[in-house]
Amino acid sequence: MSGGRVKMFPDHKHHDPHAHAVHKPGRRLMHHVPLHFVHKRVAGGGGRSVNAALNLVAFIDFLIVTVIFLLMSFSASGEITVDKNITLPKADNVQDVIEAPMVAVNGNQVLVDGTPAGSTRAIEDLGRMQKVDELFDLLKRKRELWRSFHPNKPFPGVCVLQVDENVSSLVVKSVFQTAAYAGYPNVSFMVRKRGKAAAN
Amino acid sequence: MGGVDVGPSNGKRQMNMEINMIPFIDLLMVTIMFLLITAVWVNFSRMNANAQIPGPPDPTKEIDPQTPEKVLNVHVTDSEFKLVWKQGATVVSETTAERPKQGGDLLYDDLAKKIADEWKQQSSHQDKSDKKQDQAILHVDNRLPFKEVIAVLDAIYDCKREMLVENEVKPFPVFNMSFSVR
């Protein structure tokens, strides 16, 4: 402190134990341990690391389980379109859907693969079973087309009916009989598969 | 990242390995996205029926008269189900099952049990090697909603038996259904 000067960073070579020096702020505890390897262990410093290690094991497990579940429920057959005006009934004892002409029957009309082929109302108004001529013609044309493409194969005669759950049996029987007349005696009804849990 | 630690290397070449997990996680993510996009969440199925229309007769073959088989006729009335086994025009047996009044999902469990009991007593196609199905004919009122028809059909197809197909025993419905038409 001689000469009124304050030395900010005192020279350790000329250490004066009585001098009231101002030192650079920082960690002090254990910093004067002379053994280097002990000093390194106990002095600390350096602050907390900004990098954090994430445990990926649980994350990968979750991803693998999701992949397995999705692979098991994967269907390569593609989505089957159902008329938006049709609510299909539910059933337990069912089979997989096959590729065949789709006859949709809703409250107003009959469609074959999306093409109008008759009126449901007309059948109900008549009050008795009848052959639906437009449906018959369309299905017959489809059968002939199939035969021209597969001349050496026997015709399977399968069609699938998508019928709304509230349509009357009269309409169903009329469409069923028309399909049989047109050469499709093996008729399948499309349904929604009911889970066993829901059934109980 | 994922590592393989095989213990200290004793000063020799480093034996511990670091596996880069990022491509693996990326692959899993892409697979999940593909499967989610292509997933079909609504399961549609089908139920078989047959119009029982015989094909044209073969002129080269002699017509062989056959005794008619027993056929199960299922009549749906307002209060009950009537199960009638007929052989040609002859009634072999007749029984009834209660038709419960239900709302929402229709399930006729009692009818299914009754049909199974009847089949065990009356059917002549019970052997595994016999590939022929029994015939069931459904008699329903013209006003009956289609969901009721399907519920009855579901009860008929609930009865199954084992059948030998291509050297493999599989469960098959015992009946093939057709509509009665007047």
Side-chain angles (χ1 to χ4, degrees):
Chain A
M1 291 287 230
S2 56
R5 261 184 87 194
V6 177
K7 200 170 183 181
M8 289 295 285
F9 302 106
D11 189 358
H12 286 282
K13 284 178 184 173
H14 309 285
H15 182 70
D16 180 5
H18 304 290
H20 295 277
V22 178
H23 296 283
K24 184 184 175 184
R27 293 168 191 262
R28 294 285 178 274
L29 196 65
M30 305 286 191
H31 266 250
H32 296 288
V33 177
L35 290 168
H36 180 67
F37 70 93
V38 178
H39 177 268
K40 207 176 163 186
R41 286 264 172 123
V42 298
R48 187 180 287 178
S49 171
V50 286
N51 298 334
L54 274 176
N55 187 6
L56 290 173
V57 175
F59 177 58
I60 293 166
D61 286 353
F62 166 74
L63 287 180
I64 288 172
V65 168
T66 315
V67 166
I68 290 168
F69 166 74
L70 288 168
L71 276 173
M72 284 175 75
S73 60
F74 179 75
S75 164
S77 61
E79 196 175 354
I80 296 151
T81 50
V82 175
D83 192 290
K84 63 181 177 193
N85 298 318
I86 291 174
T87 310
L88 294 172
K90 289 180 185 173
D92 290 319
N93 303 293
V94 293
Q95 296 175 357
D96 289 337
V97 179
I98 48 167
E99 209 180 311
M102 290 277 175
V103 181
V105 184
N106 60 37
N108 298 314
Q109 57 181 350
V110 181
L111 304 131
V112 178
D113 291 333
T115 313
S119 164
T120 313
R121 293 273 169 88
I123 302 167
E124 281 176 341
D125 289 347
L126 198 68
R128 62 175 171 78
M129 274 184 64
Q130 59 166 308
K131 192 176 102 180
V132 187
D133 291 329
E134 290 163 280
L135 175 65
F136 178 82
D137 292 341
L138 261 171
L139 286 176
K140 198 178 161 196
R141 245 180 282 155
K142 279 195 179 284
R143 190 189 64 186
E144 282 160 5
L145 190 71
W146 192 94
R147 283 216 166 119
S148 65
F149 280 113
H150 310 88
N152 300 321
K153 282 186 182 174
F155 182 62
V158 180
C159 72
V160 180
L161 299 191
Q162 299 174 2
V163 187
D164 185 84
E165 62 179 15
N166 293 317
V167 166
S168 67
S169 294
L170 173 67
V171 177
V172 179
K173 285 196 268 184
S174 295
V175 171
F176 187 88
Q177 195 184 35
T178 306
Y181 283 153
Y184 295 84
N186 300 313
V187 179
S188 289
F189 297 110
M190 192 182 273
V191 291
R192 280 179 294 159
K193 193 176 180 179
R194 180 167 36 209
K196 282 285 172 194
N200 297 331
Chain B
M1 290 303 115
V4 179
D5 194 341
V6 292
S9 60
N10 296 330
K12 291 178 187 170
R13 209 180 73 185
Q14 188 66 257
M15 297 297 283
N16 297 342
M17 299 288 288
E18 279 288 322
I19 302 167
N20 188 5
M21 299 303 285
I22 291 171
F24 178 56
I25 295 168
D26 286 353
L27 173 73
L28 285 177
M29 290 290 224
V30 169
T31 316
I32 286 174
M33 280 175 205
F34 167 75
L35 289 168
L36 277 174
I37 289 165
T38 58
V40 179
W41 298 108
V42 184
N43 276 332
F44 293 119
S45 303
R46 71 187 171 100
M47 297 180 94
N48 258 341
N50 195 294
Q52 294 298 305
I53 295 174
D58 189 350
T60 58
K61 282 184 182 171
E62 207 173 308
I63 296 166
D64 185 23
Q66 289 178 336
T67 50
E69 291 216 6
K70 279 187 207 170
V71 173
L72 176 68
N73 289 264
V74 182
H75 298 261
V76 183
T77 65
D78 286 342
S79 58
E80 63 181 12
F81 300 108
K82 208 184 279 179
L83 308 176
V84 184
W85 282 94
K86 280 185 179 177
Q87 191 162 20
T90 315
V91 175
V92 178
S93 82
E94 192 172 332
T95 184
T96 56
E98 196 191 347
R99 185 180 165 200
K101 296 274 176 236
Q102 293 177 354
D105 264 7
L106 291 165
L107 274 171
Y108 295 135
D109 289 336
D110 291 339
L111 175 66
K113 280 177 196 157
K114 205 102 183 181
I115 289 171
D117 292 343
E118 282 290 310
W119 177 79
K120 277 175 196 159
Q121 287 174 24
Q122 300 290 343
S123 172
S124 51
H125 304 292
Q126 302 203 12
D127 193 74
K128 279 180 190 173
S129 58
D130 191 346
K131 287 175 185 162
K132 206 165 181 188
Q133 286 176 297
D134 281 285
Q135 194 62 39
I137 297 173
L138 192 56
H139 301 254
V140 291
D141 189 86
N142 283 345
R143 291 161 297 171
L144 197 75
F146 180 62
K147 62 181 172 187
E148 297 258 5
V149 175
I150 287 294
V152 176
L153 205 59
D154 201 18
I156 292 171
Y157 285 151
D158 193 54
C159 182
K160 292 186 177 76
R161 73 176 169 104
E162 290 186 329
M163 203 187 280
L164 193 69
V165 180
E166 292 163 358
N167 298 326
E168 214 176 318
V169 178
K170 288 177 183 173
F172 271 88
V174 298
F175 288 106
N176 191 15
M177 172 267 175
S178 189
F179 280 109
S180 161
V181 176
R182 268 181 286 174

